[in-house]
Amino acid sequence: MNLTEKIFEAGIVGAGGAGFPAHVKANSKVEFVLANGAECEPLIHKDYELMLHFPKEISKGFDLLIESTSAKKGYFGIKEKNGKAISAISQHLNGKTELTKLGDFYPSGDEFELVYEATGRLIPPAGIPLDIGCVVNNVETLYNIAQSEKDIPVTKKFICVAGAVKNPSSFFVPIGTSFKDAIDFAGGSKVKEFGVFVGGVMMGQLTFDLNEVVTKTTAGLIILPKEHYLIKRKNQPEENWHRIGKSACDQCSYCTEFCPRYLLGYQVEPHKVMRSLGFTKTGSAVWNQMAELCCSCGLCTLYACPEDLYPKEACDKAKVEMKREGIKFIQQKPVKVHPIKDGRRVPLKQLVMKLKLQDYDVDAPFNSKNISVDEVKIPLQQHIGMPTKAIVKKGETVKEGQMIGKIPDGELGANVHASINGKISGINEKFILIES
Ligand code: SF4
Ligand code: SF4
């Protein structure tokens, strides 16, 4: 099997984003391969810990990808502040690879930002890195690629559990581990009533359901007390976001002025999208189109808006409405970086203060102990593309690493594997349950 086939068999998807199947990237021919170790979600430090403790594996995965894509160069994006990780990784990089040292800003891990910082190239509006001869992979994806070369499939996820827990830490858990088990492994919550931001406070989702499970794309769980500012802010019914915005937005345009995509030269203007709340009722509203190229980074809502309004959520709504009505926005202007871009970058420390997270801004060291779980609930769709089809039956005994869900031939997606030894205790169209 070649590398692409091994990655496909192993069920690898992008570990740091929406879960794009990694074999597709490995099968392309590009000029540059980029490793994304920029990690910029407040309080999440799992990529840093992974680079510190598994630099050989990450670099191996990077080299394999450079080779399979015939790239002429690799760029390894990493924050300058992470000196120890830089030293660890540098020892294993080959001559084809250059370190791209990044400042401690949000969102420096955004692909569009990283590609621009490393190569000086701008991804076309609504495009992907491949359009300009690049592929980008998160460092955990590279780790998984190195494992796949040894025929080890993805059965574990490296996560960071932080915030109001007794031992903020980073560790591997079997895919399908419940949030409750993961939080308990980090010492449990320090408070009785809390919410969980899945994947981070900026771009993640808020949940109160501890039976939800870790998937191949879960970067971390941020636990915050129920009365925390961010929980109150996020836990508003959608109609409130839009009702308040309609009456209180004074069109100051700070949301646009700080928007990282706008500053890179894309036509994203959340202050105009806010107008659609007040002046129009349908997705055909001209203002909605100014949301199409938004990456949902959350800066406009959680950092820029002096009125605590919800421009990001207005953009999310606008995108849904445009999709429903079949409207596609095509940027007419050339993409040109705003001259003030560097001056408007948002330092992570400042963002942490604005989010009232200073008390939780601590390290999350690697815990190498194995978590023990009695049951896992493995979703059949953890990636972009088609869901996998279960290939096991209820009552069957499975071993960790055994394929239990397969992608139909010719479809885009990723296979899934048993993450623990045990017995299949339930199957439906969404999950496979395994009891140890
Ligand atoms: S920053 Fe807030 S008040 Fe100003 S235009 Fe944007 S949404 Fe409106
Ligand atoms: S969430 Fe806001 S700041 Fe971020 S890209 Fe979208 S409009 Fe810009």
Side-chain angles (χ1 to χ4, degrees):
M1 268 195 282
N2 64 24
L3 185 70
T4 304
E5 289 160 346
K6 286 193 173 215
I7 292 174
F8 177 71
E9 281 298 303
I12 304 176
V13 302
F20 192 78
H23 66 277
V24 179
K25 291 184 185 177
N27 200 29
S28 53
K29 294 291 168 228
V30 294
E31 253 180 282
F32 305 123
V33 174
L34 291 91
N36 192 348
E39 194 162 57
C40 55
E41 269 281 351
L43 312 188
I44 293 190
H45 306 303
K46 64 111 185 157
D47 284 347
Y48 169 71
E49 294 295 327
L50 200 71
M51 290 187 283
L52 204 55
H53 295 278
F54 300 94
K56 202 168 147 200
E57 291 80 355
I58 293 169
S59 307
K60 174 78 185 168
F62 197 32
D63 291 346
L64 287 169
L65 206 55
I66 290 175
E67 201 186 311
S68 82
T69 57
S70 310
K72 66 176 186 200
K73 192 163 181 176
Y75 290 100
F76 201 110
I78 187 165
K79 285 191 172 169
E80 199 156 14
K81 70 167 184 182
N82 291 332
K84 284 187 187 165
I86 291 177
S87 312
I89 287 286
S90 300
Q91 288 174 30
H92 300 280
L93 294 183
N94 67 28
K96 263 190 165 181
T97 299
E98 192 179 297
L99 277 178
T100 301
K101 293 189 188 167
L102 306 160
D104 195 16
F105 300 102
Y106 182 85
S108 49
D110 174 36
E111 289 198 321
F112 281 60
E113 293 277 341
L114 180 62
V115 168
Y116 174 66
E117 285 293 325
T119 68
R121 295 182 180 182
L122 287 158
I123 299 171
I128 56 172
L130 210 51
D131 297 333
I132 50 164
C134 301
V135 290
V136 184
N137 274 283
N138 167 268
V139 289
E140 190 179 350
T141 315
L142 297 174
Y143 171 89
N144 287 334
I145 288 174
Q147 298 294 91
S148 76
E149 208 217 1
K150 296 183 269 177
D151 298 319
I152 302 172
V154 182
T155 60
K156 293 187 169 66
K157 182 74 188 74
F158 196 58
I159 59 168
C160 175
V161 179
V165 286
K166 295 191 182 116
N167 305 314
S169 41
S170 303
F171 46 86
F172 285 102
V173 294
I175 307 275
T177 296
S178 71
F179 292 172
K180 182 184 179 310
D181 285 344
I183 294 167
D184 285 349
F185 196 64
S189 170
K190 287 206 266 191
V191 289
K192 210 163 155 220
E193 293 198 89
F194 59 90
V196 182
F197 280 95
V198 185
V201 294
M202 295 300 289
M203 294 189 74
Q205 300 298 319
L206 174 64
T207 184
F208 298 97
D209 181 0
L210 300 187
N211 292 318
E212 284 187 32
V213 297
V214 172
T215 71
K216 290 178 186 177
T217 59
T218 310
L221 306 176
I222 304 297
I223 286 75
L224 291 175
K226 244 184 176 168
E227 65 278 10
H228 190 275
Y229 158 79
L230 283 173
I231 301 238
K232 286 193 186 151
R233 190 102 158 73
K234 187 87 179 178
N235 198 25
Q236 295 267 347
E238 194 182 320
E239 56 271 23
N240 280 13
W241 302 342
H242 304 317
R243 183 181 45 77
I244 301 165
K246 193 168 164 174
S247 57
C249 176
D250 60 9
Q251 290 289 290
C252 70
S253 82
Y254 280 14
C255 48
T256 296
E257 297 298 327
F258 278 96
C259 170
R261 287 287 168 99
Y262 168 79
L263 292 167
L264 266 178
Y266 302 97
Q267 275 182 284
V268 182
E269 295 180 69
H271 76 285
K272 290 186 179 166
V273 181
M274 291 298 281
R275 291 178 196 168
S276 70
L277 300 177
F279 303 150
T280 60
K281 276 188 180 151
T282 72
S284 58
V286 65
W287 310 122
N288 274 353
Q289 299 186 48
M290 294 297 115
E292 174 94 0
L293 304 175
C294 154
C295 65
S296 300
C297 74
L299 262 189
C300 50
T301 291
L302 292 172
Y303 184 81
C305 180
E307 313 278 352
D308 271 1
L309 303 182
Y310 294 88
K312 180 251 178 193
E313 286 70 12
C315 288
D316 289 345
K317 176 172 174 273
K319 284 183 266 186
V320 170
E321 287 185 359
M322 284 180 63
K323 198 168 176 196
R324 196 173 54 220
E325 303 205 358
I327 302 170
K328 195 107 195 103
F329 170 67
I330 314 270
Q331 175 156 337
Q332 303 295 339
K333 294 196 277 189
V335 183
K336 192 163 168 263
V337 176
H338 198 295
I340 201 138
K341 178 184 185 310
D342 282 353
R344 293 253 175 84
R345 288 187 297 179
V346 174
L348 204 62
K349 276 261 172 275
Q350 216 163 298
L351 179 61
V352 163
M353 277 166 64
K354 171 82 183 176
L355 300 175
K356 305 186 197 313
L357 291 174
Q358 305 94 301
D359 292 350
Y360 305 109
D361 191 17
V362 295
D363 291 343
F366 175 43
N367 178 354
S368 61
K369 286 193 191 127
N370 286 330
I371 182 174
S372 140
V373 293
D374 297 333
E375 185 187 70
V376 289
K377 184 166 120 184
I378 302 180
L380 288 168
Q381 178 141 33
Q382 306 176 43
H383 49 262
I384 285 175
M386 292 288 287
T388 48
K389 290 225 174 323
I391 54 168
V392 284
K393 292 203 167 57
K394 195 172 169 189
E396 211 174 300
T397 301
V398 290
K399 284 217 167 324
E400 182 188 336
Q402 180 182 330
M403 195 183 289
I404 55 172
K406 200 166 171 38
I407 274 294
D409 283 346
E411 297 289 355
L412 179 71
N415 300 320
V416 295
H417 302 78
S419 59
I420 57 171
N421 296 331
K423 194 176 252 189
I424 306 288
S425 56
I427 301 182
N428 64 22
E429 69 287 357
K430 291 200 166 137
F431 298 102
I432 296 178
L433 287 169
I434 306 174
E435 273 175 28
S436 65

